[in-house]
Amino acid sequence: DENLIYVNDIEIYRPFLVRSGRQEGLSFINSTMVSNVLFSAGGFEARYGDKMSSVLDIRYKEPESFEGSVQMSLLGGSVTLGDASENHRFTQIHGFRYRTNQYVLNSLDTEGDYQPTFLDYQSFFTFDVTDKFELSALFNVTSNKYLFLPEDRETEFGTVNEALQFKVFFEGQELNQYDTYTGAIAGDWLINKDKTRLKLIFSGYRSLQDETFDIEGAYRLNELDRDLGSEEFGVVAFNRGVGGFIQHARNYFDATV
């Protein structure tokens, strides 16, 4: 996520997430639409903006004819369709993805109701106006929604000589919504095949992000029975302490580039 990302020479802006991790489900790149990838860890060309970062340069397909693919799994699925005109002057490719991390998140220590939904649509068009001038367009809409209602968490840690258990009970919920929109139109003029090529790109990016949660928690820190010969080995022996906390946030972030 710290790379500079380019798709067919168009710079892609990453979402300015308030917090990353399980709330984010999809990267920008739709692998079923990719024709080739170039990665540079540094010392790259000036056309990447002369910035101090690694570069991921991606080329999306220009289909030769009608093509399509479907992928499905317990974590989501994707549909990709592409087509081209008979003379190949016009090409188009579309990709739709759906993902949910619900089954993965349910395996975490924190028990609760996880309802993450991540949707993404991308399209890429090319049109050869003449043999030396090409127009292209890239569009993307992403909607990530993360709803979490925590119930309790139990974590055991420590050593054989000091085995501890941390038990938390929650009340409240977390609701995050991240929507991003990207659009770009480019004109590519091949003046001289071997020496000169001009490209003019107009692009826009919009990001709307809401992060809201009110979670109240009460916890107990217990010491476990560490006597190997005891019938209650691993069971709570006594309580070391109790406490509580409240997490509250109303974060709204809007960005336009």
Side-chain angles (χ1 to χ4, degrees):
D1 288 344
E2 296 178 357
N3 300 319
L4 285 173
I5 299 178
Y6 289 85
V7 174
N8 293 76
D9 299 322
I10 299 166
E11 184 173 359
I12 304 301
Y13 293 93
R14 296 285 302 126
F16 301 91
L17 294 181
V18 181
R19 63 186 72 231
S20 296
R22 62 193 184 199
Q23 290 92 340
E24 184 180 14
L26 286 168
S27 67
F28 181 89
I29 304 159
N30 188 333
S31 59
T32 59
M33 298 173 63
V34 172
S35 62
N36 60 69
V37 175
L38 172 67
F39 179 77
S40 174
F44 42 80
E45 304 168 56
R47 66 191 179 103
Y48 295 124
D50 199 25
K51 300 173 183 176
M52 297 297 291
S53 179
S54 53
V55 171
L56 191 61
D57 190 352
I58 299 154
R59 293 284 162 179
Y60 274 0
K61 296 177 184 177
E62 296 185 21
E64 297 293 332
S65 59
F66 179 78
E67 64 178 57
S69 68
V70 178
Q71 297 180 1
M72 296 187 69
S73 72
L74 293 175
L75 297 179
S78 68
V79 177
T80 304
L81 296 173
D83 197 8
S85 61
E86 292 185 3
N87 58 9
H88 201 262
R89 282 195 175 275
F90 175 74
T91 69
Q92 59 179 320
I93 187 167
H94 307 266
F96 174 80
R97 293 180 293 171
Y98 166 78
R99 181 177 173 86
T100 174
N101 294 338
Q102 186 172 7
Y103 297 109
V104 177
L105 297 174
N106 283 334
S107 65
L108 298 176
D109 290 339
T110 303
E111 298 287 340
D113 185 12
Y114 292 90
Q115 298 180 26
T117 303
F118 310 111
L119 299 172
D120 172 78
Y121 167 75
Q122 294 187 38
S123 59
F124 179 66
F125 304 86
T126 66
F127 178 66
D128 295 335
V129 181
T130 67
D131 292 338
K132 292 188 176 182
F133 183 69
E134 179 186 80
L135 288 175
S136 60
L138 175 70
F139 301 100
N140 168 254
V141 177
T142 302
S143 178
N144 295 339
K145 186 175 182 180
Y146 178 81
L147 174 62
F148 175 44
L149 286 79
E151 295 175 0
D152 59 71
R153 172 173 181 154
E154 182 177 307
T155 305
E156 295 182 356
F157 62 98
T159 63
V160 175
N161 296 325
E162 189 179 38
L164 301 174
Q165 180 194 73
F166 184 64
K167 183 79 173 180
V168 190
F169 301 92
F170 297 102
E171 198 162 305
Q173 70 173 13
E174 176 181 355
L175 177 60
N176 301 330
Q177 178 85 30
Y178 308 111
D179 297 326
T180 59
Y181 310 90
T182 300
I185 297 176
D188 194 350
W189 187 18
L190 191 63
I191 298 177
N192 184 299
K193 186 174 182 180
D194 299 323
K195 296 181 180 180
T196 308
R197 177 183 176 186
L198 299 180
K199 193 163 190 175
L200 184 62
I201 300 173
F202 297 92
S203 66
Y205 170 81
R206 181 82 167 126
S207 179
L208 305 172
Q209 303 179 38
D210 299 342
E211 181 189 52
T212 61
F213 55 80
D214 291 285
I215 298 177
E216 183 178 357
Y219 62 85
R220 294 199 307 255
L221 183 62
N222 302 317
E223 185 166 332
L224 305 178
D225 189 340
R226 59 180 183 272
D227 185 359
L228 295 175
S230 173
E231 294 182 357
E232 296 185 346
F233 175 74
V235 179
V236 175
F238 61 89
N239 177 261
R240 279 196 171 188
V242 296
F245 61 89
I246 295 177
Q247 294 180 328
H248 167 82
R250 292 292 185 273
N251 298 323
Y252 305 102
F253 184 84
D254 297 348
T256 303
V257 180

